[in-house]
């Protein structure tokens, strides 16, 4: 199989779809090559029985999971590059590339720093002077991954499915922190920048004007798909152009309304429930060319293996952790429009 670095690069390329894009049949060969590589690291041979494999796994598991650690250090930030929400509203820095955990505030007008620390709306706030640099405090994000590796080694799942399962769990937690912090920041807005009631296009335009004047920038709209859909549902459909109708059929909302761009905030469930985390009735009016969400990916991904002797239930578990800092900073006011039915 070659060096560990080659196996990491193979996993990264498979996760990014580069091998499959080159030739669709290559994906199967990629999985087989990766299985061979992982089996070599674990010390497996074709003649090993279950007992021998179990002992070899206990002896060499950390080497195998180091491959997953190194791969995720590279591929986790890929999700942010592919998301319009992240590209538009999140300023991200990657410690794996040597970036410092440092963000600069250019303006001290109504500056708010919000840090979300759990599944609640209580957020810390503080003032920062103009031009001051600050950092966000990284936190650990944890997921158990032993079953996914075992299923891959047995050929039940593909390499892409294994990494999808691991990375999706981590990304879901990161998204939850970001969305909750972002949604909670609107609590502290002046009343002039908060609208509530049935949809009124004139009120939304007036709110956009207020934000534009206060921030000295053009503005854009953001909200969940359900929230953005309320714009066209509350508007006079007789004035919708064919392009606007195509937008609705394609995305479920208007991507451009009266000169204002709309950005979808992906919806998610609150942990352990089927309740939406993001409000389905609130539209945010945000200054253009500003990313209020600050994200620092420290990486430093690490694993912790626990065997049946350490777990009280006689199971084998493996935790994978990575470190990410999230904060929300506004250097100007923004607007919220809560649309009631």
């Amino acid at each position: 199989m070659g060096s560990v670095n080659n196996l990491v690069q193979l996993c990264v390329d498979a996760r990014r779809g580069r091998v499959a894009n080159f030739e669709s049949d290559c994906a199967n060969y990629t999985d087989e090559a990766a299985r061979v590589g992982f089996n070599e690291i674990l010390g497996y041979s074709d003649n090993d029985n279950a007992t021998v494999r179990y002992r070899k796994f206990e002896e060499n598991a950390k080497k195998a999971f180091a491959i997953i650690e190194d791969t995720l250090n590279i591929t986790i930030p890929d999700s942010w590059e592919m998301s319009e929400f992240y590209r538009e509203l999140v300023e991200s820095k990657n410690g794996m590339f040597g970036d410092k955990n440092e963000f600069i505030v250019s303006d001290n007008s109504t500056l708010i720093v919000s840090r979300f620390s759990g599944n609640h709306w209580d957020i810390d706030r503080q003032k920062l002077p103009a031009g001051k640099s600050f950092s966000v405090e990284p936190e650990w994000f944890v997921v158990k991954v032993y079953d996914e590796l075992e299923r891959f080694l047995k050929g039940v799942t593909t390499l892409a499915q294994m990494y999808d399962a691991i990375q999706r769990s981590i990304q879901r937690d990161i998204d939850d922190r970001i969305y909750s912090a972002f949604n909670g920041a609107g609590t502290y807005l002046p009343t002039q920048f908060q609208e509530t009631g049935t949809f009124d296009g004139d009120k939304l335009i007036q709110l956009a004007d207020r934000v534009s004047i206060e921030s000295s920038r053009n503005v854009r709209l953001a909200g969940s798909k359900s929230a953005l859909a309320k714009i066209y549902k509350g508007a006079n459909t007789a004035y919708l152009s064919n392009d606007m109708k195509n937008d609705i059929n394609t995305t479920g909302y208007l991507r451009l309304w009266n000169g204002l761009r709309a950005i979808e905030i992906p919806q998610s469930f609150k942990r352990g429930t089927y309740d939406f985390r993001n409000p389905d009735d609130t539209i945010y009016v945000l200054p253009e060319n500003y990313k209020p969400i600050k994200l620092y990916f420290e990486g430093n991904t690490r694993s912790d293996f626990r065997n049946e002797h350490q777990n009280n239930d006689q199971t084998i578990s493996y935790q994978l952790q990575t470190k990410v800092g999230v904060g929300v900073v506004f250097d100007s006011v923004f607007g919220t429009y809560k649309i009631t039915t």
Side-chain angles (χ1 to χ4, degrees):
M1 179 64 203
S3 69
V4 169
N5 288 339
N6 288 340
L7 181 54
V8 171
Q9 190 58 55
L10 178 65
C11 293
V12 170
D13 288 343
R15 181 69 186 88
R16 290 174 171 173
R18 290 176 178 173
V19 178
N21 287 338
F22 178 72
E23 185 177 340
S24 59
D25 292 339
C26 285
N28 295 330
Y29 297 108
T30 302
D31 287 334
E32 185 56 34
R35 284 192 186 97
V36 170
F38 275 113
N39 284 335
E40 286 181 359
I41 290 173
L42 291 169
Y44 290 173
S45 65
D46 294 338
N47 298 324
D48 291 343
N49 59 32
T51 300
V52 172
R53 287 199 168 211
Y54 168 75
R55 290 172 178 170
K56 287 182 176 179
F57 181 85
E58 278 200 316
E59 182 181 350
N60 300 309
K62 286 188 176 296
K63 298 177 184 178
F65 279 96
I67 303 297
I68 297 178
E69 295 171 8
D70 291 343
T71 302
L72 291 177
N73 275 336
I74 298 172
T75 62
I76 287 176
D78 288 351
S79 301
W80 311 331
E81 296 175 5
M82 294 183 289
S83 166
E84 180 188 24
F85 174 82
Y86 274 80
R87 290 196 305 270
E88 289 276 351
L89 299 178
V90 180
E91 181 183 358
S92 61
K93 297 194 175 184
N94 191 337
M96 302 303 299
F97 293 158
D99 294 342
K100 293 183 178 180
N101 184 358
E102 184 178 53
F103 300 89
I104 306 297
V105 178
S106 60
D107 196 332
N108 62 355
S109 58
T110 63
L111 179 65
I112 299 174
V113 177
S114 307
R115 177 175 172 271
F116 180 66
S117 57
N119 291 311
H120 54 75
W121 295 105
D122 296 327
I123 53 179
D124 300 325
R125 305 167 63 228
Q126 68 182 82
K127 292 283 186 178
L128 294 176
K132 180 178 177 60
S133 64
F134 68 98
S135 60
V136 292
E137 183 177 343
E139 300 175 76
W140 287 106
F141 292 79
V142 184
V143 61
K144 291 185 178 180
V145 297
Y146 174 73
D147 178 65
E148 283 75 10
L149 177 62
E150 182 181 46
R151 287 163 60 84
F152 165 70
L153 293 175
K154 289 181 177 179
V156 178
T157 61
T158 67
L159 182 64
Q161 289 171 332
M162 182 186 74
Y163 278 109
D164 277 342
I166 298 169
Q167 188 164 332
R168 187 167 56 248
S169 297
I170 294 175
Q171 188 60 49
R172 185 183 297 117
D173 276 352
I174 295 172
D175 289 344
D176 285 349
R177 302 288 180 94
I178 286 177
Y179 299 151
S180 294
F182 179 78
N183 292 331
T187 306
Y188 306 101
L189 287 172
T191 57
Q192 294 89 341
F193 293 87
Q194 300 182 58
E195 288 284 357
T196 302
T198 57
F199 178 76
D200 185 321
D202 290 337
K203 287 185 178 180
L204 181 54
I205 292 175
Q206 290 172 3
L207 181 60
D209 283 343
R210 291 193 192 99
V211 176
S212 180
I213 293 170
E214 178 65 17
S215 65
S216 299
R217 301 187 185 111
N218 293 326
V219 297
R220 55 198 161 166
L221 308 178
S224 66
K225 183 173 293 186
S226 298
L228 293 175
K230 295 181 184 298
I231 294 178
Y232 81 81
K233 290 179 180 179
N236 189 337
T237 57
Y239 294 101
L240 294 180
S241 66
N242 288 334
D243 286 342
M244 296 171 79
K245 293 176 182 177
N246 288 335
D247 253 3
I248 295 170
N249 289 329
T250 303
T251 65
Y253 59 92
L254 294 172
R255 288 180 292 187
L256 186 65
W257 178 81
N258 281 359
L260 299 172
R261 288 192 308 120
I263 302 165
E264 180 182 350
I265 301 176
Q267 191 57 273
S268 64
F269 290 130
K270 296 178 182 177
R271 187 186 300 276
T273 75
Y274 292 111
D275 298 327
F276 287 139
R277 177 172 297 283
N278 300 320
D280 61 358
D281 59 358
T282 302
I283 296 172
Y284 298 89
V285 182
L286 306 169
E288 283 271 21
N289 301 319
Y290 181 69
K291 299 180 178 182
I293 301 165
K294 311 300 180 183
L295 184 149
Y296 181 72
F297 179 67
E298 182 175 306
N300 193 21
T301 305
R302 59 183 65 174
S303 304
D304 178 36
F305 173 70
R306 292 183 177 273
N307 60 32
E308 78 284 7
H309 305 298
Q310 296 167 307
N311 289 332
N312 294 329
D313 57 2
Q314 294 293 301
T315 60
I316 297 175
S317 62
Y318 210 98
Q319 288 191 355
L320 188 137
Q321 307 175 350
T322 195
K323 208 168 188 183
V324 182
V326 175
V328 179
V329 179
F330 285 95
D331 67 352
S332 177
V333 296
F334 61 100
T336 61
Y337 193 154
K338 184 174 182 179
I339 302 174
T340 59
T341 55

